[in-house]
Amino acid sequence: MNFPFDTGITRRNFTLGAMLAMTAACNTDAQSRAPVRDAFWRTWRDLYLQPDGRVVDTGNNGVSHSEGQSYGLLFAYKAGDAEAFEKIAGWTQSRLSRPDMALHAWRYDPAAPNPVADQNNATDGDLVIAWALAMAGQRWNRADYTARAAQIRSAVRSHCVIERHGRQLLLPGIQGFVNGDEVTLNPSYFAWPALDAFAKADGQQVWGRVISDSEAITRLSRFGAHRLPTDWVVINAPNQVAPARDKPPRFGYDAIRVPLYAVLGGRQSLVTDVAAYWRACLSANKPIPAWADVVTGEEANYALSAGGAAVVGRLLGSAQPSVLTNDYYAASLQMLARYQ
């Protein structure tokens, strides 16, 4: 009998644990044999999920990320594909989990001598991994998933939240984002449905201020003529948020997830300016650009991907692309935009 996660099992509780595990195995086996009717999931799974549970970023030299693993878990859960979920969870735990805390290395490069040379985490990946594991643990009676989810939540709260400038700030990762009084943040890492689930599980006293301060950071992250968020921001004084100086000040490939997570988390009020910008583009009969520079006003001379178009459709209540694209990130945005 395999216990893929450390749940503190001892000989005293082994008998009961074995009975629960056998029950869970029966439930999981029955679920995994059920037909998976979600055509989008089947396509995404066939394109990006390897048999061992590794999600491959086909547009980035075949590497994998904790982000991609988290998406795979979420999509497999939504589709009711317990077999795929178990494989993704197992690969994520065995290949990306850090030995010192319940977080995950952000990147796996199969071509490198040490595939996980950089042990830094990506907090958005950890948030969604924990969220998906908790939901799967409840649906499929998997105590190991539930326990691992709780461990990840605790590690994120302990290691990825700091108090600065009167706020509890959710860091993008453990290392590299704090420079004296200046803290670099990524508003697209605020995965609201996951954070709300954490608050429900652990209590508002644990997550309430993290959530409300992240909402405040999102409101402050509105720049340029169209008041758009940027991929990366810095906060260096109370209520002083600006585009990060060492990165292009763009509403771009990361920031596209700000309106996505806002609508998934019932926080459309945080992105009314984004909605207005997109509506203005459509009213002018021009393609919505893939990015916009909030300082110069320059816009990309090419349109949003199918994934970006799906986010637009979800936020504005308009049609989304009906076919899943063959680009990993764009296809993942499409899948997220369909999530209910």
Side-chain angles (χ1 to χ4, degrees), residues 43-271:
T43 301
W44 193 94
R45 180 185 62 188
D46 293 345
L47 287 172
Y48 309 113
L49 180 61
Q50 292 193 340
D52 62 355
R54 181 166 84 92
V55 175
V56 179
D57 183 346
T58 56
N60 193 16
N61 298 317
V63 304
S64 296
H65 309 280
S66 59
E67 168 206 276
Q69 298 302 122
S70 78
Y71 293 161
L73 289 172
L74 188 63
F75 304 155
Y77 167 80
K78 179 64 177 176
D81 193 337
E83 181 179 7
F85 189 100
E86 184 171 36
K87 289 179 179 179
I88 299 166
W91 189 94
T92 304
Q93 170 71 6
S94 65
R95 300 301 180 92
L96 295 183
S97 62
R98 290 176 54 125
D100 56 341
M101 63 187 71
L103 299 176
H104 302 86
W106 75 279
R107 187 172 188 266
Y108 177 93
D109 184 354
N114 179 2
V116 288
D118 184 355
Q119 285 286 306
N120 204 12
N121 74 309
T123 302
D124 63 330
D126 285 316
L127 293 178
V128 177
I129 288 170
W131 176 36
L133 284 170
M135 292 190 295
Q138 183 175 20
R139 172 185 284 183
W140 295 316
N141 298 316
R142 290 289 298 261
D144 52 346
Y145 291 168
T146 302
R148 178 63 176 174
Q151 292 167 358
I152 298 170
R153 292 197 307 270
S154 178
V156 169
R157 188 64 183 82
S158 298
H159 300 287
C160 301
V161 177
I162 64 168
E163 184 92 22
R164 287 289 192 283
H165 308 301
R167 297 197 183 279
Q168 292 188 0
L169 303 178
L170 183 65
L171 297 175
I174 295 175
Q175 299 174 335
F177 300 101
V178 181
N179 183 14
D181 286 336
E182 186 170 274
V183 181
T184 300
L185 302 174
N186 189 321
S188 77
Y189 280 28
F190 303 155
W192 303 115
L195 290 167
D196 289 341
F198 293 3
K200 185 175 181 180
D202 301 328
Q204 285 293 327
Q205 72 278 10
V206 178
W207 293 102
R209 275 204 52 207
V210 177
I211 291 172
S212 62
D213 287 340
S214 296
E215 291 171 342
I217 294 298
T218 304
R219 291 189 187 95
L220 291 166
S221 300
R222 299 175 179 180
F223 312 111
H226 300 293
R227 293 171 52 80
L228 301 173
T230 50
D231 295 335
W232 295 89
V233 302
V234 294
I235 177 171
N236 50 30
N239 295 326
Q240 297 296 312
V241 178
R245 290 182 294 274
D246 60 342
K247 296 176 176 64
R250 291 176 175 174
F251 172 56
Y253 299 106
D254 270 359
I256 190 74
R257 292 179 299 180
V258 174
L260 174 58
Y261 281 134
V263 72
L264 293 182
R267 290 171 171 82
Q268 288 89 332
S269 63
L270 293 177
V271 291

